[in-house]
Structure formats: structure tokens, C-alpha cells
Amino acid sequence: MASVKAVNITNLDATPIVKTDSETNGGKIRVSYDNYEASSLASGSDITIGRIPANATIMDVVLKCDALGGSSTLAVGDSGDADRYLAAVGTWNAAGQTQSMLGGSTAANTAMTGLGYRTTAETDIIITTGGATISGSIHCWVMYTVE
């Protein structure tokens, strides 16, 4: 099992902080985008892929991935609920598969607790791997409002 950080989270945690571009984090509906390149990442690992501010309302979470490997699953949640935004679904064995809270997916998605969820504190978005070791690109967009 491993705990890893995606590109923008690594930059945010650097000293000094490396700022992200507004195209990956900003707007009326704000967007947090990040990606992670998995290389033989063990089942049961977690990837911190986004950080959402306090009092944000989650509008959508979208995953788009390479073929990660047969029997692999991904769930998207936070420290309070591992599949709050997207339930553990798979198999991610075809390149270009997409899942979205609002737009549906190429696999069944039963996570409903994240729709319109309002954070009470700064919240990390976490992808949890399951089923098998994975390799490939994982892209994640979190759309939210803070008004």
C-alpha cells in the first residue's frame, strides 16, 4: 500500500509553494484538475488528487483513465467517506474510460452522497485503488463553487 500525491498537490505542499495555473483551479464554477501516472501501484493504495477549500459545494467529479489493468477499480472520496463521490467501479481495462457524478459513466456508479456535498473544512480528494495493481494515467476534475 502506498500514499502518493499528484502533481498539483506536490506543488501546493512544496516549500515555497509552487502556484497552480488558473486554468486548473479557478472560475465561477471552480475546477480542481490533477493527474497521476501510476506505475505498478498496489491495490489498496490512495492517491491524493485534489484539495477543495472549506465551504465549497461539490458539483461534479470526473475521472478519465488509461487502461489501468484488468480487475482494477477506483473509488473517489475524502477522509470522511472513501467513495463519497464515485463508488469503486471497474474494470479499468480500456483506454479512455470516463466516470462522472453527473454525466454517467462507462461503468455503474452508485455514489450519491457527494452530489451537492458541502465541505466544512479544507478537504483532500482521494482516489483509492482496488482489485489489482495499476499502471497508467489517471486524470481527475472536481467542479465546485465557493460563494
Side-chain angles (χ1 to χ4, degrees), residues 52-75:
I52 306 304
N55 303 312
T57 301
I58 306 298
M59 298 301 179
D60 197 9
V61 173
V62 179
L63 281 182
K64 189 164 188 75
C65 302
D66 284 342
L68 301 177
S71 301
S72 61
T73 65
L74 299 176

Side-chain angles (χ1 to χ4, degrees), residues 8 18-26 31:
N8 287 339
V18 178
K19 293 184 180 186
T20 60
D21 295 331
S22 62
E23 61 201 44
T24 59
N25 201 357
V31 177

